[in-house]
Amino acid sequence: MTSKQKAEYQDVEVLRSYLQSLQNQKFQLDCGHHVTFGHFLGNDVIIYNGKELKIICSQCGF
């Protein structure tokens, strides 16, 4: 990867701040299960990247 290509990527902290903005919000995932972000009993999620994002819980992902 060239330095120009590397410069196109943002730091992981930017992504983390986006996800922090979801704190305490509740969602139904593509697999049908539910997640509450930032809750200690919340499900882990898997994000499949592609033309359309697919977001499922870790139990259904493996």
Side-chain angles (χ1 to χ4, degrees):
M1 183 179 296
T2 67
S3 59
K4 182 180 177 184
Q5 289 171 323
K6 285 182 183 180
E8 295 175 358
Y9 288 85
Q10 297 182 43
D11 190 59
V12 70
E13 290 301 323
V14 176
L15 178 58
R16 191 171 283 120
S17 70
Y18 287 139
L19 296 175
Q20 286 292 331
S21 70
L22 300 176
Q23 192 82 354
N24 297 320
Q25 293 188 39
K26 300 171 185 264
F27 298 93
Q28 183 171 348
L29 303 175
D30 291 326
C31 63
H33 288 111
H34 298 84
V35 65
T36 302
F37 284 99
H39 192 269
F40 66 96
L41 292 177
N43 289 338
D44 291 334
V45 297
I46 298 172
I47 302 172
Y48 288 108
N49 192 16
K51 185 175 182 181
E52 186 175 317
L53 293 177
K54 183 176 180 183
I55 305 170
I56 63 174
C57 71
S58 61
Q59 291 175 335
C60 293
F62 297 107

